[in-house]
Amino acid sequence: MFPNIVMRACGKMSRGVVAIRQQPTIKPIMAVSNRFMSSHSVEETDEEFYSKYEAYFNRSDIDGWETRKAMADLACQDAIAEPKVIIAALKACRRLNDYALAIRFLESVRIKSEIDSSIYPYILQEICPTLEELGIDTPEGLGYDKPELALDDVDHIY
């Protein structure tokens, strides 16, 4: 009895597989276009690049997401933003009333400028009037440049 049930089940399964195999397969039509993107590339100068970001931050209808996206794009670049772009970004943060974003952006500028110790003081010198005008402190002024629970000597914990 048991072998008959198994034989019937196997027979039904094999007929189903055969029926599936006999269905025609439909192959999609693919169109391929030849387009060479790199053959007509125009090199963008640094001045054009930074003026594009300055104009982007100076838009009156910029929202928080667009500001964060542009700041993330600048952070991913292999260069430190010009002071005029930093000023435009800080003014965009003030228009959005996002103080934390302004501080985070200044922190990213400080971290990126660690390759040369003279870059960050120059940037602070250039943007200091804007910081005072907008009422924004530097990360160092807020104590963000050193850890909160840092100890000078690990033996003096208690």
Side-chain angles (χ1 to χ4, degrees):
M1 171 120 176
F2 181 70
N4 290 337
I5 295 173
V6 173
M7 291 300 281
R8 274 190 245 146
C10 289
K12 288 180 182 178
M13 286 175 50
S14 66
R15 277 181 268 158
V17 171
V18 171
I20 291 174
R21 284 187 191 163
Q22 292 175 352
Q23 293 178 354
T25 58
I26 301 171
K27 294 184 179 180
I29 300 171
M30 296 182 65
V32 179
S33 65
N34 292 330
R35 188 169 185 187
F36 300 105
M37 297 292 218
S38 62
S39 64
H40 300 291
S41 65
V42 177
E43 191 68 30
E44 187 177 42
T45 64
D46 289 341
E47 186 62 35
E48 292 170 343
F49 177 77
Y50 289 127
S51 65
K52 177 179 68 172
Y53 274 100
E54 184 180 13
Y56 188 78
F57 283 124
N58 285 332
R59 288 183 14 215
S60 61
D61 63 338
I62 194 168
D63 64 353
W65 186 88
E66 292 173 332
T67 305
R68 284 176 175 80
K69 173 74 171 112
M71 287 180 177
D73 291 344
L74 280 174
C76 291
Q77 295 295 322
D78 193 24
I80 301 168
E82 292 284 327
K84 64 180 183 174
V85 176
I86 296 171
I87 289 170
L90 292 174
K91 287 182 179 181
C93 290
R94 176 47 75 193
R95 280 193 309 275
L96 294 170
N97 200 20
D98 198 342
Y99 187 79
L101 183 60
I103 298 300
R104 284 189 213 114
F105 183 63
L106 288 175
E107 281 181 317
S108 72
V109 169
R110 181 182 56 85
I111 290 168
K112 285 188 78 165
S113 62
E114 287 178 349
I115 57 171
D116 187 3
S117 61
S118 65
I119 296 173
Y120 190 62
Y122 166 73
I123 291 174
L124 281 181
Q125 171 190 338
E126 295 294 317
I127 67 172
C128 189
T130 305
L131 290 175
E132 291 174 5
E133 173 191 339
L134 298 175
I136 298 174
D137 289 327
T138 62
E140 294 80 18
L142 295 171
Y144 289 165
D145 58 336
K146 47 188 166 294
E148 183 178 349
L149 301 174
L151 298 172
D152 292 333
D153 188 9
V154 293
D155 293 330
H156 294 98
I157 292 175
Y158 300 104

